[in-house]
Amino acid sequence: MSDLKGLHIFENNFKGDFPSEIGELKYLSYTRFNGNEFTGNLPTQLGQLVQLNEFWSHENLFTGPIPSQLGRMSRMRDLRLWGNQLVGTIPDELYNLKKLFRLSVREMALTGTLSTLVGQLSELTQIKVSTNQLTG
């Protein structure tokens, strides 16, 4: 399984903590985990997935902050975290994702400001931050 490039397990009944071993799938380029009941924090090991260009984990029960390590996924184009119970700020490291065209972090409990660093994302065509507690 170490050569796995795609993993779609969306809209099932998966429950519990998301496995940190995901970081061992170094060739993974697209994932869809949305529509399950994963809980706990998003694993920081996701940052090891430098080939990943699509990460959908929306509509789960994730808690805690958005890991700053996600900013290491330099090929990321489509990042959907919305509809979880994530808290805290949008990490500045996410603005290192220069290929990002969609960032969806709506419908959570994010706070702080929407950084002006978002202007550095020249390929960004969609940013969805509604229904949070952001200021700016």
Side-chain angles (χ1 to χ4, degrees):
M1 237 172 109
S2 62
D3 291 338
L4 193 66
K5 292 183 181 177
L7 182 57
H8 287 191
I9 58 169
F10 60 95
E11 297 180 11
N12 281 290
N13 291 308
F14 290 103
K15 297 178 182 184
D17 289 344
F18 196 78
S20 61
E21 292 81 7
I22 187 86
E24 297 171 13
L25 300 174
K26 61 183 178 177
Y27 297 109
L28 201 59
S29 63
Y30 53 92
T31 63
R32 293 186 182 176
F33 301 113
N34 54 295
N36 285 289
E37 294 183 24
F38 286 114
T39 57
N41 292 346
L42 284 167
T44 59
Q45 291 85 350
L46 287 167
Q48 298 171 17
L49 301 176
V50 296
Q51 302 293 322
L52 199 59
N53 60 57
E54 177 185 280
F55 184 68
W56 294 12
S57 65
H58 55 281
E59 296 181 311
N60 276 288
L61 301 171
F62 289 115
T63 57
I66 298 172
S68 62
Q69 292 85 350
L70 298 185
R72 296 182 191 152
M73 299 186 295
S74 59
R75 294 188 180 189
M76 181 57 59
R77 297 187 42 78
D78 189 357
L79 182 59
R80 302 182 192 195
L81 304 174
W82 64 272
N84 283 288
Q85 299 168 14
L86 299 175
V87 297
T89 61
I90 299 172
D92 284 347
E93 290 82 358
L94 290 189
Y95 303 114
N96 294 332
L97 303 175
K98 303 301 182 196
K99 296 182 179 189
L100 198 64
F101 76 84
R102 180 183 295 125
L103 174 62
S104 186
V105 292
R106 62 189 171 97
E107 300 174 29
M108 296 193 286
L110 299 177
T111 57
T113 60
L114 184 59
S115 175
T116 58
L117 295 173
V118 73
Q120 297 177 8
L121 300 175
S122 60
E123 295 193 28
L124 192 66
T125 60
Q126 293 182 33
I127 183 167
K128 298 179 180 183
V129 297
S130 59
T131 319
N132 280 293
Q133 294 147 20
L134 297 171
T135 61

